[in-house]
Amino acid sequence: MSTQKIGVIVSSTRPTRVGDKVAQWVASIAPEGTEVEVVDLAEVDLPFLVEPELPATGNYTLASTVAWSERIRSYDGLVITVPEYNAGYPAVLKNAIDSLHAEWNGLPIGVVGYGWGAAAGAARQLGEVLDRVKAVHLPGPGLSFGQDLTPEGEILEAAPAEDVQGLYNQVLTAVREKVTV
């Protein structure tokens, strides 16, 4: 059986973010034998919707979009770690999704929310967008400040590690089902 490659996306680019800590924790509890790579949207640095053609055409001309497309295509699945900003998810994540098209179709994507209220609103909205782009949307657990992590991003003992492992299992099952179709 081949090793599955899963990208764990840090979807916040704020200087005071804790998303990098959450993503590192999520990556650290991946099942043995899974290749995991943390993808920081702050480092990806996509311009805001500047391709001359719609993403649905697949005619990417900017080096940044081509590199983003190739990177997403290199993964068998993703886990997106998402905070909640004013009852929604970060614009940089929406831009990262909207910059591509065919790359999302059929891609298994798990979602782990974090923040006050476990980012339930952001995770719900993100799920609607993932469904629209025809990804295989797999809702995961949320981490709440004060219960599962500190506002500084330190993961607490109560954090739902088993639920995140279960999400990985769902993502990997979806990957295997996609490969056998």
Side-chain angles (χ1 to χ4, degrees):
M1 181 185 209
S2 65
T3 300
Q4 305 303 321
K5 186 175 179 185
I6 306 296
V8 176
I9 295 184
V10 181
S11 66
S12 174
T13 59
R14 285 185 173 172
T16 57
R17 69 189 179 165
V18 300
D20 51 338
K21 293 176 184 177
V22 174
Q24 288 296 338
W25 176 73
V26 168
S28 76
I29 57 178
E32 191 171 317
T34 304
E35 182 183 347
V36 177
E37 181 176 279
V38 174
V39 180
D40 190 339
L41 291 182
E43 295 171 5
V44 172
D45 198 27
L46 282 170
F48 190 77
L49 300 176
V50 295
E51 281 286 346
E53 293 187 48
L54 293 174
T57 67
N59 295 324
Y60 307 134
T61 60
L62 299 174
S64 58
T65 311
V66 171
W68 180 232
S69 171
E70 289 172 354
R71 189 160 192 186
I72 292 302
R73 288 181 186 275
S74 77
Y75 299 115
D76 297 302
L78 296 173
V79 175
I80 299 175
T81 60
V82 62
E84 188 162 314
Y85 294 170
N86 299 315
Y89 60 94
V92 68
L93 176 57
K94 182 73 162 97
N95 184 54
I97 294 168
D98 289 349
S99 293
L100 304 178
H101 182 73
E103 293 80 355
W104 308 118
N105 190 0
L107 184 66
I109 302 177
V111 176
V112 175
Y114 64 91
W116 301 109
R124 179 187 48 75
Q125 288 178 7
L126 177 57
E128 292 172 4
V129 171
L130 294 176
D131 290 343
R132 175 61 62 126
V133 297
K134 298 188 170 105
V136 178
H137 170 226
L138 301 162
L143 284 72
S144 291
F145 287 138
Q147 179 180 330
D148 304 306
L149 73 161
T150 68
E152 297 77 31
E154 299 305 315
I155 305 298
L156 301 174
E157 194 172 316
E162 289 181 3
D163 293 343
V164 173
Q165 290 167 340
L167 179 61
Y168 271 115
N169 290 336
Q170 290 178 56
V171 170
L172 294 170
T173 297
V175 167
R176 287 189 290 274
E177 289 173 356
K178 180 180 173 184
V179 171
T180 59
V181 172

